[in-house]
Amino acid sequence: MVKVVTLKNIPIMPAEGAAEQTAGWTGPVHRTRQTIIEPGDSKEFTCSVVNFSQGCNTGWHVHDCDQILIVTSGSGIVATENEEHEINVGDVAHITAGERHWHGAKADSTMGHITIMLVGAKSTWG
């Protein structure tokens, strides 16, 4: 089976988890999610677009599987306790399982990315 979706046609829903301010931004923040692979449609993967308002990030968290981020709009940051990288449209970030990290929009930009993880993966916030 092949399933093709158009991102602009996927419903936009509030995203679970934290929505924190990126350094240098003092305004309100929020995240939304567009589910690309619906629960039950894949035995292996989850896939969604996560959209960050200006200056919004996930806050610190850890996943029990690898995570792949593909930036689709805007400009952002992905950071671990030891490094920080600017990410822009077309960039792909690979975060290994167990790595404490955060990602989100820069203080002067919004950002959207596709996230790909394993079905059943667990996230721990903080």
Side-chain angles (χ1 to χ4, degrees):
M1 179 178 103
V2 174
K3 179 180 177 181
V4 177
V5 299
T6 302
L7 296 181
K8 69 179 181 179
N9 295 334
I10 299 173
I12 298 172
M13 308 298 290
E16 72 284 353
E20 299 188 8
Q21 292 173 327
T22 301
W25 176 250
T26 58
V29 293
H30 69 278
R31 296 187 305 144
T32 61
R33 177 176 301 274
Q34 295 171 275
T35 301
I36 295 172
I37 299 177
E38 293 291 340
D41 284 356
S42 173
K43 295 177 185 175
E44 304 291 329
F45 300 104
T46 65
C47 183
S48 297
V49 177
V50 180
N51 298 295
F52 296 81
S53 65
Q54 181 175 349
C56 177
N57 72 72
T58 59
W60 290 103
H61 62 287
V62 176
H63 303 292
D64 65 356
C65 72
D66 287 10
Q67 181 180 35
I68 298 169
L69 306 176
I70 305 164
V71 182
T72 57
S73 65
S75 183
I77 298 167
V78 60
T80 69
E81 293 177 318
N82 300 313
E83 58 187 322
E84 185 173 299
H85 299 275
E86 181 174 325
I87 51 177
N88 297 289
V89 174
D91 289 345
V92 178
H94 173 210
I95 303 145
T96 56
E99 182 75 56
R100 188 169 183 252
H101 69 285
W102 64 267
H103 41 95
K106 291 173 38 181
D108 62 352
S109 181
T110 61
M111 185 188 74
H113 66 54
I114 293 172
T115 178
I116 302 169
M117 293 178 28
L118 294 176
V119 166
K122 303 220 180 333
S123 302
T124 304
W125 299 91

